Amino acid sequence: MSKHKPDTLEDHGILYLTGPITPDSSEALARAILLANLKGRHQRLQLIVNSPGGDVGAGFALLDVMEWSTVPIYTVGLGQVASMG
């Protein structure tokens, strides 16, 4: 009997960034974007952002990965989107 793995947002091409932007949160999201590009399962990614801002270097590193992505990334602000958010 095989166990069914529950769906995650990433399974559907949805990425969620909440809270301050930190090197850790930026790296996790960058990895998710890189994996989505490598797997090629999605025609586009949806990034939902709810952030008060945070680390500028981590934010720009994330923006660089987003610009590199060959899979289009559509963003939407939910709640607060301030500063580096």
Side-chain angles (χ1 to χ4, degrees):
M1 177 187 262
S2 69
K3 290 187 176 188
H4 175 70
K5 180 184 141 219
D7 285 352
T8 66
L9 292 174
E10 289 182 21
D11 291 337
H12 299 278
I14 300 170
L15 306 173
Y16 193 77
L17 175 61
T18 184
I21 296 183
T22 65
D24 289 339
S25 66
S26 175
E27 179 182 353
L29 189 55
R31 285 179 180 271
I33 292 169
L34 293 170
L35 280 173
N37 275 267
L38 290 172
K39 290 180 180 179
R41 292 188 296 185
H42 304 291
Q43 292 182 354
R44 68 182 182 99
L45 297 172
Q46 180 70 54
L47 173 59
I48 300 169
V49 179
N50 183 356
S51 174
D55 186 280
V56 174
F60 278 119
L62 181 56
L63 286 172
D64 288 342
V65 171
M66 290 172 67
E67 288 181 10
W68 166 88
S69 177
T70 57
V71 177
I73 302 173
Y74 297 88
T75 59
V76 63
L78 179 68
Q80 180 183 24
V81 182
S83 184
M84 196 65 230

